[in-house]
Amino acid sequence: MSINEKPIRSDEKVMAAAAGMYLRQLREERKVSIMNLAGLCGVLTRTIQEIETAATVRPKRHTLLAILHGLSSLKRLTADERKKVLEPFGFRDQSLLPEGEEVLSIARQWERSVFELPHPAYLVDFAHRFITWNRYAPGVIGLTYGHPALEKMRGRTLFDLIFDRQFETAFAIKNKETFLPEMLYVMRCEFEPFKEDEWCKECIRNAREAHPQFRALWDKVQKMPVQELGLRTMGPIITQPAEGEELSFHLLGTDFVNDSRFRVIQYLPANVATMRKCLEWVEAQE
C-alpha cells in the first residue's frame, strides 16, 4: 500500500467479492477459460483470476473495461451486466466512443487487411459513425474511390448518410420501404446495451431532431422486442445511382480485429447482375 492509499474497508471487500463472482459467471456463461479470455482482452491471466476471487479489491478501470470488451466480443454484454461489474468498484459505466489516434490506427489496419476485398465494404464504430471504405464501396452510390464527395461523409452517422439529402447515399436506396425498417431495428438492438450512455442518447436525439423520416421509423422499431443478434445480416438492399444500373446486395456485419467497437459492413452481391458489376470494378483496377 502506498503512503497516500487509504486502507481497504470491509465493505469494499464484500463488494469486490460479489463483483468478482459475477464476472466469473459472465465468463462461464460464454464458456471461455481465464487463459483464453486473457488472450482476447490483453489482460494477464493472473489479474483476471485475482479480480474474480477478490484477491484484488481495487482493480484499475481500464483493466475492467478490457475484460468486459473481451467478454462482449463473445456475446454482447447488456448495460446492466457491465454496471454490475463496474459499480461495486466505484466506476460508472460510460462506454466511450473511440476517437483520434485510436480511430486512425484502426483505419490503417483496415487498409492493410480489408481494403482489397473484391466487393464493397466500409468500416463504422459502434455508434455507426462512418470511418472509412474500401476501393469498391463508392460504386454503390455511383462514385469512384477518391471522389471529393466521400470526405464529407467521414465521421457522420449512418442516420445522416441515409436520411440527409445532402448525401448521395440518401438517394441511392431504392427499396427504402422494406430495407430501412429492418436496418433501424438491427441498429436499435445493437444500441440497447448503451441506451443510457450520453453518447447514445445524443446520437438518437440529434437524428430525431434532424430527420423526420428517421423519427417516424425509429418510434415504430422501439415497439418491437429486442433480440440477441448473432451474425448481423440484412437485406437485400437495392441501390441505383442517378446514372447507373440497379444493384442488389446482402449486408453482413462483423466485428473488426476482435474489437466489438468497430464493425465491417460487407456488401455481398445478391444476384448475378450485381456479381458481374463487382467483377467489372475489380477488373477495372487491374
Side-chain angles (χ1 to χ4, degrees):
M1 182 185 300
S2 66
I3 296 175
N4 296 322
E5 189 175 356
K6 296 179 181 179
I8 295 174
R9 306 187 310 273
S10 59
D11 62 319
E12 284 186 279
K13 296 179 181 179
V14 172
M15 290 188 291
M21 289 177 60
Y22 187 66
L23 186 64
R24 178 178 178 179
Q25 176 185 323
L26 294 175
R27 177 177 60 78
E28 292 178 342
E29 286 175 358
R30 286 155 179 78
K31 296 179 171 59
V32 61
S33 67
I34 290 180
M35 182 177 296
N36 287 338
L37 178 58
L40 277 175
C41 64
V43 175
L44 291 175
T45 302
R46 184 185 65 224
T47 300
I48 298 175
Q49 188 173 37
E50 289 176 348
I51 294 172
E52 287 190 354
T53 60
T56 295
V57 177
R58 293 174 179 170
K60 300 294 185 182
R61 185 176 188 274
H62 65 83
T63 300
L64 292 173
L65 289 177
I67 295 171
L68 292 175
H69 278 307
L71 291 171
S72 197
S73 71
L74 299 170
K75 178 184 176 184
R76 190 169 302 282
L77 293 167
T78 66
D80 188 56
E81 287 171 333
R82 292 170 58 87
K83 181 178 179 180
K84 286 181 179 179
V85 172
L86 291 170
E87 287 198 349
F89 295 109
F91 301 123
R92 181 172 179 271
D93 183 19
Q94 188 65 267
S95 305
L96 298 178
L97 294 175
E99 301 286 357
E101 181 55 39
E102 187 174 23
V103 173
L104 293 176
S105 175
I106 286 291
R108 289 192 290 268
Q109 291 184 56
W110 161 275
E111 291 179 359
R112 293 193 297 268
S113 59
V114 183
F115 184 75
E116 295 295 342
L117 275 177
H119 51 259
Y122 61 85
L123 181 68
V124 295
D125 64 17
F126 66 106
H128 287 277
R129 296 182 300 182
F130 203 54
I131 296 175
T132 191
W133 46 89
N134 78 339
R135 187 185 300 278
Y136 308 112
V140 174
I141 56 174
L143 300 178
T144 56
Y145 187 78
H147 194 286
L150 295 170
E151 280 305 315
K152 67 180 182 181
M153 300 180 187
R154 198 186 300 272
R156 303 298 293 266
T157 69
L158 292 186
F159 301 142
D160 292 329
L161 298 183
I162 289 172
F163 294 100
D164 191 331
R165 296 174 71 84
Q166 71 168 301
F167 298 111
E168 286 77 0
T169 43
F171 299 95
I173 302 174
K174 295 305 175 183
N175 61 333
K176 290 183 178 180
E177 295 79 8
T178 55
F179 177 73
L180 292 187
E182 179 187 9
M183 182 198 75
L184 290 182
Y185 173 69
V186 170
M187 295 174 76
R188 183 267 170 113
C189 293
E190 291 185 339
F191 275 15
E192 182 66 17
F194 313 108
K195 65 181 181 180
E196 298 303 321
D197 287 2
E198 286 305 316
W199 69 262
C200 187
K201 293 178 181 179
E202 182 180 4
C203 179
I204 300 302
R205 182 170 59 248
N206 290 343
R208 287 177 60 86
E209 292 174 354
H211 313 303
Q213 186 184 8
F214 166 82
R215 182 167 63 247
L217 290 172
W218 190 257
D219 288 344
K220 288 183 180 180
V221 301
Q222 290 300 303
K223 300 174 183 177
M224 301 169 65
V226 175
Q227 296 184 17
E228 179 80 30
L229 297 177
L231 196 63
R232 297 184 284 276
T233 59
M234 290 185 286
I237 178 175
I238 300 173
T239 69
Q240 186 172 22
E243 297 181 5
E245 57 195 275
E246 186 175 283
L247 303 173
S248 181
F249 298 93
H250 290 293
L251 271 56
L252 172 65
T254 55
D255 294 342
F256 184 52
V257 293
N258 292 323
D259 190 333
S260 59
R261 297 173 303 157
F262 298 97
R263 294 168 196 165
V264 177
I265 310 298
Q266 299 185 55
Y267 279 64
L268 305 179
N271 58 32
V272 174
T274 304
M275 291 177 66
R276 287 174 178 161
K277 189 62 179 179
C278 289
L279 183 59
E280 287 179 19
W281 291 336
V282 173
E283 291 176 342
Q285 296 296 325
E286 294 178 350

